Amino acid sequence: KAGVTQTPRYLIKTRGQQVTLSCSPISGHRSVSWYQQTPGQGLQFLFEYFSETQRNKGNFPGRFSGRQFSNSRSEMNVSTLELGDSALYLCASSPRFLDTKDYGYTFGSGTRLTVV
Amino acid sequence: DAKTTQPPSMDCAEGRAANLPCNHSTISGNEYVYWYRQIHSQGPQYIIHGLKNNETNEMASLIITEDRKSSTLILPHATLRDTAVYYCIVRVDSMGSARQLTFGSGTQLTVLP
């Protein structure tokens, strides 16, 4: 079956612009999480969505936002881009939100954002 | 979630077993041990997880000490494609708990030909 699809794979934006990244989870997966990966900070949790609602949020400024659609696809938006926002943005999907047994997240290949 | 400690890097000869240690001395009774790996420029890949019993799947084995303060991921016959950063994560896994993964620095495993 198809994996987690993230688009675009690469993106170059100018400081001050805004950007929208897209994530299509595995079919049947209803939970989508977003992570930021930078050389200095490593992998950091941004937020998680389930049933079109944000369930958890990491420690990022309000410039970072997201949403989830009824088909479970998710987008994240970063407004007023800063040079430090240059990173690999990863999306992960999982089958369920409230579950006593975690089956493990499936990650996409990410979107490499470069802010110049 | 409990903090983990892993060696920053390890080498392993191709075809040999790779044993990756992880220390999680402050782990709580309801926290699971998870292992993910990240091959360069790809997203992390789930490998295995366990609570207190040893676990094995098609990718690896997970050995958790009796006191649960440390664990070892074993790749029985390492190949060059196993070269990656391996992350050990501990987290609660219960109804309603926050589900984010807290990644540390991981171990860079290099499999040598």
Side-chain angles (χ1 to χ4, degrees):
Chain A
K1 58 182 178 182
V4 178
T5 303
Q6 291 189 246
T7 56
R9 284 283 281 129
Y10 302 92
L11 204 50
I12 299 175
K13 288 286 189 178
T14 303
R15 193 170 44 181
Q17 287 186 313
Q18 68 93 27
V19 67
T20 299
L21 312 181
S22 178
C23 172
S24 294
I26 289 174
S27 178
H29 284 196
R30 298 173 62 194
S31 173
V32 174
S33 301
W34 288 89
Y35 290 79
Q36 181 197 64
Q37 185 171 29
T38 61
Q41 299 297 319
L43 274 154
Q44 292 186 292
F45 171 75
L46 280 157
F47 29 65
E48 177 178 15
Y49 285 86
F50 176 77
S51 291
E52 303 175 61
T53 302
Q54 187 180 93
R55 302 291 176 153
N56 292 302
K57 189 177 191 306
N59 189 25
F60 279 82
R63 300 184 298 106
F64 292 82
S65 62
R67 60 177 175 169
Q68 187 180 35
F69 302 95
S70 58
N71 61 358
S72 295
R73 190 177 71 85
S74 177
E75 290 181 347
M76 69 161 282
N77 184 276
V78 187
S79 62
T80 320
L81 284 166
E82 301 177 358
L83 296 179
D85 297 333
S86 294
L88 179 66
Y89 290 88
L90 291 156
C91 165
S93 77
S94 64
R96 282 172 276 192
F97 176 63
L98 297 179
D99 198 340
T100 56
K101 184 103 174 125
D102 194 314
Y103 297 98
Y105 285 99
T106 302
F107 283 81
S109 296
T111 293
R112 173 80 58 188
L113 171 66
T114 302
V115 182
V116 297
Chain B
D1 293 339
K3 182 179 171 62
T4 61
T5 304
Q6 298 177 252
S9 64
M10 292 181 64
D11 291 340
C12 175
E14 188 177 19
R16 304 296 294 268
N19 297 289
L20 293 94
C22 179
N23 184 291
H24 32 79
S25 57
T26 60
I27 192 170
S28 301
N30 60 348
E31 288 183 308
Y32 285 71
V33 180
Y34 287 80
W35 283 84
Y36 282 77
R37 72 180 182 182
Q38 187 174 24
I39 296 170
H40 185 61
S41 297
Q42 297 181 20
Q45 176 190 25
Y46 166 81
I47 301 173
I48 198 168
H49 75 284
L51 183 61
K52 55 183 177 181
N53 298 319
N54 298 338
E55 302 287 345
T56 296
N57 63 21
E58 66 278 5
M59 289 183 67
S61 294
L62 174 61
I63 309 297
I64 302 174
T65 58
E66 193 169 341
D67 63 8
R68 303 207 326 120
K69 293 185 177 182
S70 66
S71 61
T72 301
L73 178 74
I74 301 172
L75 307 178
H77 306 286
T79 70
L80 299 179
R81 287 177 292 183
D82 292 322
T83 292
V85 177
Y86 286 77
Y87 296 98
C88 169
I89 300 164
V90 294
R91 60 182 283 264
V92 174
D93 206 12
S94 62
M95 295 284 285
S97 66
R99 286 170 54 88
Q100 64 261 34
L101 298 172
T102 302
F103 289 86
S105 301
T107 296
Q108 170 66 58
L109 173 69
T110 302
V111 180
L112 304 171

